[in-house]
Amino acid sequence: MTIIAILLAFALCHFVRELGRIRKNQWLTGWVGFANDAFGKLPGWADILGFIVILAVPLIVLLLMNQVLHGALGVTGSFLLALGVLIYSFGPRDLDTDVAQVLEAPQGEQRDDALAELLDGPVPAEEEACRAAAVEAVFQQALRRWFGVIFWFAVLGIVGALLYRMVDWLDSEEPKVSPEQRGRFVRLQQIMDWPAAQLMTLSLAVATDFDSVYKAWKRYHDEQGHGLFEGDNGFLLASARSVVLTGHAARDGYADQLHGPMLGLQQAMDLVWRMLGVWLTVLALLLLVGVLA
């Protein structure tokens, strides 16, 4: 059911773009504000207690909804809820749409504006720096919008998918959390990103040049001077930059007709699609093994 829900959710998001309008987080802002007003005077609320309660209550409500739908509609009810949670958790916008807006925008201010939105910041003036930033943005957004959600949905079901999306919002966009709580949300985001980023790096190696990706992955850890389980997930971005900017991702077709930063952007998005294919193939094989077992 996991692979079917993921495939159907991707298909619906791709062909029914209006579904992106449901990905709003006003309910989370309202819940955080209510919780602060109701429980803000409790000891430890500004730190660990608030961190736990803010995450736990929506997840408990989700599990209760799953029980109600399962009791009313059986497996179909649980499947429909899982499909809705996945569609909601992919985002907040469709990555392929954001990349297409950059590629299709006329050169000049419109393209810079579209690229700045994808980069979530200013566009670097130097061409090489702009290419690197575009590649990093595609892979970073792919991790946060797609692969992180898929990984935790596969591991923890609907709870994992919604938890990942909530943490992604709370560690950056929610102004009502305390600095201590935000620090814990940031750390939890890093912990949740790590296994998904490692698997993304592995799938990138499978989809392109294994030796180049491995060397970039190892070089990053050697330069950072820390162990495998320490630091951030920059190894994914380092591997992506290496395989795209060194030409290993070059292909015939549309990508060869692009120039400047757009060449790397197109190739990065192409690699993300290929990595997604690797993930779905593995999930399908695991499903087949489970059925045969």
Side-chain angles (χ1 to χ4, degrees), residues 74-96:
V75 177
T76 302
S78 297
F79 177 79
L80 292 176
L81 180 61
L83 185 62
V85 169
L86 273 175
I87 292 173
Y88 179 77
S89 299
F90 288 148
R93 301 183 306 274
D94 295 313
L95 177 59
D96 54 329

